[in-house]
């Protein structure tokens, strides 16, 4: 009888699945990489969500092909950044990853016999806040939570709707605003970007990498990300020497 704890296991399983699928950009063409991410987003939400991703990536790709034939730097950075922001690990996604069979498979591979599972989570609607820091505190859930995950994953169609019980927390509102903000930020520069601005747009697109973590850590990183975006956007359209100051 063994015990498994915390979302770290879910992250390991998720990362292993992504790598085993051959999703690493160095091993696949840009078309294959984009298609893989689109397929992931279909499982994450639905086909319409995936098509939204593809449409926005294609708009960036077409603009880059026109302005800088043969270059894919901006398209790759944007495709990666938008995917990262659209596939945030909310309650529905955590439930899906624990319920899709990969987690159970990992348990069987790592432990003999039946495993007694305990999961440490800090769900915004259930977790208490630390009286000193104000941060959400993790609490331990028994194996029954895996059955609850199987039920919850069936309701992912509620994500982002007025009926989403998790959508009213500040963290979820923040996460769900980010993809739209990010796309609008990149897309509004495409038609007017000058030759010297394209490398700047690539750096701007890569700024999504700053958005990481959970809870209060993610809030700090999102604030940092938005500040960096504002700084980088201010340089677009300026002469190279002036932008570097």
């Amino acid at each position: 009888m063994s015990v498994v704890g915390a979302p770290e296991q879910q992250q390991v399983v998720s990362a292993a699945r992504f790598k085993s699928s051959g999703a690493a950009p160095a091993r696949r063409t840009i078309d294959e990489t984009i298609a893989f991410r689109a397929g992931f987003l279909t499982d994450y939400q639905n086909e319409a969500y995936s098509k939204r991703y593809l449409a926005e990536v294609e708009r960036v790709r077409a603009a880059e092909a026109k302005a800088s034939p043969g270059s894919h730097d901006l398209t790759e950075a944007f495709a990666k950044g938008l995917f990262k922001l659209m596939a945030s690990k909310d309650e529905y996604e955590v439930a899906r990853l624990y319920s899709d069979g990969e987690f159970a498979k990992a348990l069987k591979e790592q432990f003999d016999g039946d495993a007694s599972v305990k999961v440490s989570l800090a769900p915004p609607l259930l977790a208490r806040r630390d009286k000193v820091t104000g941060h959400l505190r993790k609490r331990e859930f028994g194996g029954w939570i895996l059955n609850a995950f199987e039920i919850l994953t069936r309701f992912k169609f509620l994500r982002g709707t007025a009926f989403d019980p998790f959508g009213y927390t500040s963290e979820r509102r923040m996460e769900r605003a980010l993809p739209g903000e990010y796309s609008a930020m990149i897309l509004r520069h495409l038609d007017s970007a000058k030759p010297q601005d394209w490398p700047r747009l690539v750096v701007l697109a890569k700024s999504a990498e700053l958005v990481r973590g959970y809870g209060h850590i993610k809030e700090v990183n999102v604030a940092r990300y938005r500040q960096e975006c504002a700084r980088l956007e201010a340089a677009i359209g300026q002469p190279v020497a002036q932008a570097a100051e």
Side-chain angles (χ1 to χ4, degrees):
M1 187 76 69
S2 303
V3 177
V4 162
E8 286 78 3
Q9 179 69 30
Q10 168 255 316
Q11 294 172 18
V12 170
V13 171
S14 179
R17 184 197 299 109
F18 196 89
K19 291 178 180 178
S20 66
S21 299
R27 298 180 181 179
R28 302 177 75 92
T29 67
I30 185 172
D31 288 327
E32 291 170 336
T33 300
I34 292 171
F36 176 84
R37 290 188 170 118
F40 187 100
L41 291 174
T42 298
D43 293 335
Y44 177 89
Q45 180 67 12
N46 53 35
E47 188 175 356
Y49 197 65
S50 175
K51 286 183 176 179
R52 169 188 162 190
Y53 170 79
L54 287 173
E56 295 183 6
V57 170
E58 182 55 33
R59 181 174 172 184
V60 171
R61 189 174 190 176
E64 183 174 28
K66 181 179 179 180
S68 183
S71 174
H72 301 293
D73 292 344
L74 179 60
T75 301
E76 289 184 6
F78 180 77
K80 180 179 179 179
L82 182 59
F83 172 80
K84 177 181 178 64
L85 298 179
M86 290 182 72
S88 62
K89 297 296 190 301
D90 61 6
E91 290 80 0
Y92 301 106
E93 180 63 354
V94 170
R96 185 181 74 85
L97 293 175
Y98 269 115
S99 305
D100 68 356
E102 292 291 336
F103 179 68
K105 180 181 177 182
L107 284 183
K108 290 181 179 180
E109 292 176 349
Q110 296 183 41
F111 300 98
D112 295 326
D114 295 329
S116 176
V117 179
K118 293 183 180 180
V119 183
S120 296
L121 301 169
L125 293 181
L126 300 176
R128 296 181 178 178
R129 291 191 177 274
D130 186 282
K131 294 182 179 179
V132 177
T133 65
H135 301 157
L136 293 176
R137 300 174 59 183
K138 288 185 178 181
R139 54 177 294 189
E140 195 173 82
F141 297 86
W144 63 267
I145 195 67
L146 298 183
N147 293 326
F149 283 155
E150 290 185 4
I151 297 173
L152 180 58
T153 193
R154 302 172 191 171
F155 290 90
K156 65 179 183 179
F157 64 89
L158 294 176
R159 179 190 278 125
T161 72
F163 302 100
D164 182 359
F166 308 107
Y168 295 95
T169 65
S170 59
E171 183 175 352
R172 297 296 169 254
R173 290 198 305 269
M174 173 188 71
E175 288 176 343
R176 290 168 193 173
L178 287 174
E181 291 178 3
Y182 177 78
S183 290
M185 176 180 68
I186 299 298
L187 295 178
R188 67 171 163 258
H189 294 294
L190 291 182
D191 295 333
S192 60
K194 299 176 181 178
Q196 71 267 20
D197 289 325
W198 285 92
R200 298 169 183 171
L201 285 176
V202 173
V203 176
L204 184 62
K206 289 182 177 180
S207 63
E209 296 173 3
L210 296 173
V211 179
R212 58 173 67 98
Y214 300 88
H216 64 280
I217 295 176
K218 189 168 193 175
E219 290 177 359
V220 171
N221 285 332
V222 168
R224 178 188 169 200
Y225 155 76
R226 285 173 170 160
Q227 290 175 352
E228 181 65 3
C229 286
R231 184 186 72 81
L232 293 170
E233 277 200 280
I236 294 177
Q238 296 183 6
V240 175
Q242 185 176 348
E245 294 179 356

